Each structure stands twice: as C-alpha cells, then as structure tokens.
Amino acid sequence: MTEAQTLRHIISTRKSIFPPEYGDAPIAKEVLEEIISSADYAPNHKRTKPWRLKAHRGTDKALLGEELVRLYKENVPAENFSERKMNEIAQKVAKSDTIVTISICFSGKVPEWEEIAATAMAVQNMYLTCTAHGVGCYWGTPGFMFQMKDFLQLEENERCYGFFFMGMKK
C-alpha cells in the first residue's frame, strides 16, 4: 500500500468507537503522547493553537468521572433523570483507559468560530492517529460540559468543549 492509500484507508475507516467496545489493554504511553501531539498539526489562524488538552488516567480519571456523574445528577430535571444513564456515564469512564478534556482558549485575535473550528481539526487529527494505532475513541459533548470550568481550573477566557474517550479496541 502506498502512503496515500494508507492515509485514505485511515480516513475512510475512522469512526467513533465507544467504551463498551474497549478492551482491558492499556494504551502505551508513547502512543498516547503521539495521539495528543498530533493535535499540534491542525491548522489554526494566527497560530493561536486554541485547544487545551489534558489527559486523565488512574485517580485523576476517577475524579473526573465522579464530577461527570455529579453534574448529570445536578442538571437533569427529576422527570428526565435516569439511573441507567447515570450508570452509563460511570461505566464509560471506567471502561476508558484515558479521557482527554478538550478546552478552548479564546485569544481574542480571531473570531471564536475559528478557534472552535481549529480545535475540531485538532481533535480530528487525534481521531486519525487513534485509528492508525487501533485505539477506539469518541468525542463526547454533554450539555453540562460548560460547567467544568472550576473543576478543570480553566482561565476566564477558556471553556470546556467536551471529552475524548479512548481505549484499546477489543
């Protein structure tokens, strides 16, 4: 296969893979570093690199999971609350080897939509790198993601735009 055919194959087979499809094998540190650093190659106007990515593993991941469950409980009206959904959130966290929080730092140098688009391209690079390494992943954007500011210790000009769940495919 030529390099172009390999790239086309990676692009055409890229898809969201959810935590129930993750196995127990850990993602190698070098692979995780490559996935996260691939974001740096995304185009971004005025080279603002607006994305802020933080990998959560182990205890840090468990604390993030507790916060996600807390926010679900706090934000879902009683008539829509589902214990099954709450447990699914906890299971997604438990089944994921790593969760990367995706935040955007708005520089004020370019329109906000450009910073959001650049971040989406950075995440696409991460998706493609995961595909190349057999890592399952998906970008989750729960409605309460904007309430993560304090938990993630974000600056005034930063907002959380979701969570990138990852695990080795079964």
Side-chain angles (χ1 to χ4, degrees):
M1 219 186 275
T2 68
E3 195 170 305
Q5 289 169 324
T6 302
L7 178 59
R8 183 178 182 89
H9 176 74
I10 291 169
I11 291 169
S12 66
T13 59
R14 190 230 45 90
K15 65 179 184 173
S16 293
I17 297 173
F18 302 96
E21 299 173 61
Y22 301 164
D24 295 330
I27 301 169
K29 183 178 183 233
E30 305 79 40
V31 171
L32 181 59
E33 288 170 359
E34 183 181 340
I35 291 166
I36 294 171
S37 69
S38 70
D40 291 335
Y41 299 103
N44 54 100
H45 192 192
K46 296 197 179 191
R47 296 184 176 105
T48 59
K49 290 191 178 180
W51 51 88
R52 301 295 181 266
L53 308 169
K54 182 179 180 206
H56 300 265
R57 295 180 113 174
T59 304
D60 197 33
K61 181 186 75 156
L63 292 172
L64 175 62
E66 290 172 11
E67 181 67 2
L68 294 176
V69 167
R70 184 189 73 76
L71 286 171
Y72 174 79
K73 287 183 200 175
E74 190 175 286
N75 284 280
V76 174
E79 64 274 8
N80 295 334
F81 181 82
S82 163
E83 191 153 333
R84 183 183 60 76
K85 175 72 175 168
M86 182 185 69
N87 290 335
E88 283 177 3
I89 292 169
Q91 281 300 106
K92 279 195 284 194
V93 171
K95 286 292 291 172
S96 299
D97 175 76
T98 305
I99 302 170
V100 175
T101 51
I102 303 165
S103 300
I104 300 177
C105 179
F106 295 97
S107 67
K109 295 178 183 178
V110 297
E112 280 193 11
W113 75 266
E114 289 187 20
E115 305 282 42
I116 295 167
T119 300
M121 287 186 265
V123 173
Q124 174 70 347
N125 283 358
M126 291 171 35
Y127 260 109
L128 295 172
T129 307
C130 283
T131 301
H133 286 285
V135 175
C137 63
Y138 90 100
W139 185 358
T141 55
F144 52 77
M145 66 188 175
F146 297 123
Q147 296 177 31
M148 296 293 294
K149 192 176 207 72
D150 290 338
F151 180 82
L152 296 175
Q153 300 177 336
L154 301 179
E155 299 295 324
E156 189 59 37
N157 61 336
E158 295 177 334
R159 279 187 297 231
C160 177
Y161 271 80
F163 311 94
F164 195 69
F165 295 83
M166 292 186 285
M168 295 303 298
K169 292 188 228 176
K170 287 183 183 178

